[in-house]
Amino acid sequence: MTCKHDAETVREPFMRQARTRNTDTLEFVHSMLGQLRRMAEDEQHEVLAYMIEMACIEADDTLRDIRGSLVRSGQGDSAA
């Protein structure tokens, strides 16, 4: 029989790996949004560029929140 502490210890590396994949995905999305915004601006699609910029800001805010929670929980590095 496994105690609760042992199960949490085993599960923690998998949770950390999932959070790393999550931030990697968000960083990629953020980068792609920036490129799409520039393309929309170059073609004078102002409203589309604005909407993409809003999505870019949301991705940036979400990344900041995730990184902050990782640092507070001691699971992230301070350079993130």
Side-chain angles (χ1 to χ4, degrees), residues 10-67:
V10 170
R11 188 177 26 202
E12 185 175 320
F14 297 110
M15 292 170 57
R16 187 178 311 121
Q17 190 175 31
R19 283 188 291 267
T20 300
R21 277 194 311 269
N22 193 12
T23 57
D24 289 347
T25 300
L26 277 170
E27 287 170 354
F28 176 76
V29 168
H30 185 264
S31 175
M32 292 297 101
L33 287 167
Q35 291 180 33
L36 289 170
R37 180 185 49 80
R38 284 187 292 280
M39 290 171 65
E41 287 174 343
D42 289 347
E43 297 297 322
Q44 287 80 45
H45 299 295
E46 291 85 12
V47 174
L48 180 58
Y50 171 79
M51 296 297 219
I52 294 170
E53 177 66 18
M54 293 299 102
C56 192
I57 291 169
E58 180 63 25
D60 189 51
D61 289 348
T62 303
L63 276 168
R64 192 171 317 128
D65 290 346
I66 290 170
R67 288 176 178 150

